Amino acid sequence: MKILYSPASPYSNKVRMAAHHAGFSVDSVLTETNANPPELIDSNPLGKIPTLVTEDGRAIYDSRAIMHFIDRETKGKLYPKNSEKRTAIEILEALCDGICDCLLAVVYEKRFHPPEKVHQPWIDRQWEKVERGLDYLETNLPKTGSKLNAGHFALAATLRYLDLRFAGEWQKGRPKLKNWPAKFEKHFPDHATFKA
């Protein structure tokens, strides 16, 4: 099996870290989405990463579908069986992915438009969502112990992406969130190997 990925993609990082933690054996294949490589396009008509390609050639996407697939294949290593706890983790993962959606919207607005065409109100609107999400996380950080779950990996990937693209722009007033990766690394020491 293989995961088509990009090291800068927070969704790819989430899936790859979770797979590693769960003991799910998969090869990571570096993929340049802008080149529309046949392996990606033939597997995922959206041409998006991550895409998991199984041994029998079946493609699974997007990142949350991959996370649930890994969880089923590893007999529940990413999500608890208790429905209330599972729902809380799924909401945390959705929040982190949503923050990343907003961050990517900002990055793409700046990257793909000439400066005179960049729409600052759009950027401001996305950043407001990011700020609200981060403020929520600051006051509602998940308990982090030896039993890691999908929400932890989503949060780790989100904070890594923030550091990659928005270094110094999000930490002020959020000491718990700023220090959380060090706590996470105590339970997932391989975190550094998944840097972009």
Side-chain angles (χ1 to χ4, degrees):
M1 278 192 269
K2 55 192 168 186
I3 292 175
L4 309 180
Y5 84 103
S6 166
S9 161
Y11 315 104
S12 292
N13 281 330
K14 173 185 73 171
V15 165
R16 292 174 65 231
M17 286 189 291
H20 181 75
H21 172 73
F24 182 74
S25 182
V26 63
D27 294 325
S28 294
V29 178
L30 187 62
T31 306
E32 174 53 57
T33 57
N34 290 333
N36 283 337
E39 183 173 35
L40 177 60
I41 300 301
D42 292 347
S43 300
N44 180 344
L46 300 174
K48 295 172 76 172
I49 50 165
T51 295
L52 172 69
V53 182
T54 64
E55 295 290 346
D56 60 3
R58 184 171 39 139
I60 300 167
Y61 49 88
D62 69 355
S63 68
R64 276 183 257 175
I66 295 170
M67 294 289 277
H68 288 285
F69 178 80
I70 293 170
D71 183 65
R72 287 189 300 275
E73 291 292 305
T74 60
K75 298 184 176 21
K77 295 237 176 128
L78 298 179
Y79 300 90
K81 289 187 172 118
N82 177 282
S83 62
E84 191 173 321
K85 289 179 181 177
R86 183 180 184 112
T87 298
I89 288 166
E90 289 173 343
I91 291 169
L92 172 61
E93 184 181 4
L95 174 60
C96 292
D97 285 357
I99 290 169
C100 288
D101 293 344
C102 296
L103 294 171
L104 282 164
V106 171
V107 168
Y108 292 158
E109 179 70 16
K110 293 178 178 179
R111 182 180 296 167
F112 296 115
H113 292 112
E116 68 276 7
K117 299 271 186 176
V118 170
H119 190 60
Q120 191 60 45
W122 169 255
I123 290 173
D124 294 343
R125 178 79 173 127
Q126 299 309 310
W127 193 252
E128 284 173 16
K129 295 176 187 180
V130 169
E131 295 266 1
R132 286 196 306 265
L134 294 177
D135 289 343
Y136 178 86
L137 288 168
E138 174 69 17
T139 57
N140 296 279
L141 273 176
K143 290 180 182 174
T144 307
S146 58
K147 191 160 176 60
L148 299 176
N149 60 55
H152 293 117
F153 294 107
L155 179 56
T158 300
L159 296 179
R160 172 152 298 145
Y161 190 72
L162 277 161
D163 281 340
L164 175 68
R165 300 289 190 224
F166 301 89
E169 296 181 44
W170 65 272
Q171 294 93 333
K172 188 176 179 185
R174 301 183 183 104
K176 292 180 193 170
L177 208 50
K178 179 182 173 185
N179 295 323
W180 185 82
K183 187 175 186 179
F184 173 71
E185 283 183 13
K186 288 179 185 173
H187 304 288
F188 186 68
D190 293 329
H191 185 227
T193 65
F194 292 91
K195 283 194 176 175

